[in-house]
Amino acid sequence: DIVMTQSPDSLAVSLGERATINCKSSQSVLHSASNRNYLAWFQQKPGQPPKLLIYWASTRESGVPDRFSGSGSGTDFTLTVSSLQAEDVAVYYCQQYYNIPYTFGQGTKLEIK
Amino acid sequence: QVQLQESGPGLVKPSQTLSLTCAVSGASISSGGYSWTWIRLPPGKGLEWIGNMYYSGSTYYNPSLESRVTISVDTPKNQFSLKLSSVTAADTAVYYCVRVRSSGWTGIFDYWGQGILVTVSS
């Protein structure tokens, strides 16, 4: 199985400031033929299901604010919230869809400082 | 607007079979380009992929659960189901049904149901 490890486990950032969440996979999720990274990011607010934010490591899902961005390749990835808003308080998960079983990171809890 | 809705018992006794159904609206479960999956979130733990069903009828399961899992589809009712046998307390979780936007052999988890809490207890 591909193990996904996120850091930090929790993060407190002031409103309007940048938040950065890291995700590392135990093996590359870059498909050489397509040159695509099979990596997604989800946001989960309390009492709600996870919501797709980013796929192919850096493609924003329709309707997702442009303050959310994804970067990275191979085994190291980053989710950045450029200017934290109150509604961004949530748990964030990375997920690889390169190999079965699909696996998720343990989650990073993002809070307001 | 695609919507998925889980239903089933919220309490299951140990050693019995957990059975859940996911009703899909706004999309045809038999149309190409999508597969359908179950994911769970145990309390205090992370998300765990359970298995996928493709529109062709093929299924793929998490090896950690494969011996106990069956995912099936009811095309006329536009719904799919999960059965997990011989449950224990470790199977207590919020269960989500999810649509997967296919891309080659894999896909992107784009629409999620609200989730249903299933507790395994006597």
Side-chain angles (χ1 to χ4, degrees):
Chain A
D1 297 7
I2 298 177
V3 177
M4 308 299 290
T5 304
Q6 292 179 227
S7 62
D9 289 334
S10 63
L11 180 62
V13 173
S14 300
L15 289 172
E17 295 300 303
R18 178 185 298 259
T20 300
I21 299 170
N22 300 302
C23 175
K24 189 174 185 68
S25 57
S26 62
Q27 63 189 77
S28 177
V29 297
L30 172 63
H31 186 243
S32 54
S34 64
N35 198 35
R36 281 178 161 176
N37 288 280
Y38 285 61
L39 188 285
W41 288 96
F42 296 88
Q43 174 195 64
Q44 186 172 29
K45 297 180 180 180
Q48 296 185 20
K51 173 188 174 184
L52 176 66
L53 296 177
I54 304 280
Y55 57 96
W56 302 132
S58 61
T59 301
R60 208 177 296 115
E61 175 71 337
S62 176
V64 172
D66 61 7
R67 64 179 180 274
F68 291 93
S69 63
S71 62
S73 185
T75 61
D76 292 280
F77 301 90
T78 299
L79 174 70
T80 301
V81 187
S82 61
S83 176
L84 190 71
Q85 305 299 304
E87 61 265 33
D88 300 334
V89 169
V91 177
Y92 292 83
Y93 295 95
C94 61
Q95 178 238 343
Q96 66 81 19
Y97 49 102
Y98 184 80
N99 264 352
I100 283 175
Y102 305 127
T103 48
F104 294 82
Q106 80 277 18
T108 295
K109 188 173 185 179
L110 178 57
E111 299 173 308
I112 306 293
K113 185 187 291 183
Chain B
Q1 174 79 359
V2 178
Q3 292 185 315
L4 295 89
Q5 181 66 58
E6 305 88 350
S7 62
L11 181 64
V12 181
K13 289 182 168 48
S15 80
Q16 293 191 342
T17 296
L18 178 160
S19 296
L20 297 175
T21 297
C22 179
V24 179
S25 58
S28 172
I29 205 165
S30 60
S31 65
Y34 300 100
S35 62
W36 308 89
T37 196
W38 288 95
I39 291 169
R40 68 182 183 179
L41 181 63
K45 297 188 178 181
L47 293 160
E48 180 179 32
W49 173 74
I50 299 170
N52 257 33
M53 161 157 280
Y54 291 80
Y55 63 90
S56 63
S58 301
T59 51
Y60 295 88
Y61 301 130
N62 192 322
S64 68
L65 299 168
E66 187 165 17
S67 63
R68 300 193 290 131
V69 173
T70 302
I71 295 176
S72 59
V73 64
D74 186 336
T75 303
K77 292 185 177 179
N78 211 43
Q79 62 188 33
F80 64 108
S81 300
L82 169 70
K83 291 189 186 300
L84 181 65
S85 63
S86 306
V87 297
T88 69
D91 294 309
T92 293
V94 176
Y95 286 76
Y96 298 98
C97 58
V98 184
R99 188 184 81 166
V100 184
R101 196 161 70 213
S102 294
S103 180
W105 73 94
T106 181
I108 296 151
F109 297 3
D110 63 356
Y111 282 94
W112 295 61
Q114 282 299 308
I116 183 169
L117 174 61
V118 179
T119 301
V120 178
S121 174
S122 55

